[in-house]
Amino acid sequence: MNAASDPSSFTRELADTLHQSLLLIAQSATTLVTVVNGAAAGAGFGIVLNADYVIATPSASFTPAYTALGVSPDGGTSFFLPHVVGKTRASELILAGRRLDAQTALDWGIVNELVAKSELDTQLAKLLSRLEKVPAGALRASKRLLLVPLLEQ
């Protein structure tokens, strides 16, 4: 960003590209599975919130990180976070810049399951195998039905 001739325009274009990508993922038939084995911060946290299924290791952590940088959240964070954890917890994360450990993220519904790092590849393969057996039309319709209540608000 610092090397860009116009950092402000570059940052805006980057944010717009991220938002368009996440919108396409949300509207696609593709099931987005994310694996977190470290920090999911900023846009990475937004991607996690936009995912259909999240597997994390106990060492994972989650934070919006935007207010610490002096900017408002993007990457779908301000849209998805209140729907996932509720307004009060979303405010705590965004306004106070709280970082969640993996267990709290699981308890709050941000993560579907915690898996030991040594079991991560095996568990991911099992999940993908289950998803491959579901007809694509059923996945697409299910994703759309899950998203509709959010879009109608």
Side-chain angles (χ1 to χ4, degrees):
M1 287 184 207
N2 290 335
S5 60
D6 182 358
S8 179
S9 293
F10 177 81
T11 303
R12 183 74 210 158
E13 183 178 337
L14 187 64
D16 288 346
T17 301
L18 173 65
H19 292 149
Q20 288 301 315
S21 299
L22 291 175
L23 185 58
L24 288 171
I25 290 168
Q27 295 172 341
S28 78
T30 303
T31 301
L32 177 60
V33 175
T34 59
V35 175
V36 183
N37 181 27
F45 186 56
I47 292 169
V48 166
L49 293 169
N50 193 42
D52 300 302
Y53 200 94
V54 181
I55 300 173
T57 63
S59 65
S61 63
F62 304 83
T63 183
Y66 293 103
T67 52
L69 301 172
V71 296
S72 60
D74 68 359
T77 301
S78 62
F79 179 75
F80 284 109
L81 187 59
H83 299 290
V84 173
V85 302
K87 182 189 177 297
T88 303
R89 286 179 169 169
S91 295
E92 178 182 350
L93 287 169
I94 292 172
L95 302 178
R98 180 172 175 191
R99 176 182 297 267
L100 297 181
D101 60 44
Q103 183 61 55
T104 305
L106 176 68
D107 295 342
W108 286 17
I110 294 169
V111 170
N112 295 90
E113 61 180 298
L114 289 183
V115 176
K117 184 178 179 181
S118 62
E119 297 296 318
L120 194 55
D121 290 341
T122 302
Q123 193 63 19
L124 178 60
K126 286 179 185 177
L127 173 63
L128 295 177
S129 177
R130 286 194 321 260
L131 291 172
E132 287 174 348
K133 294 174 184 160
V134 180
L139 290 175
R140 182 176 39 256
S142 297
K143 281 185 65 164
R144 187 176 60 248
L145 289 169
L146 289 168
L147 191 57
V148 166
L150 299 180
L151 297 176
E152 290 180 342
Q153 294 184 7

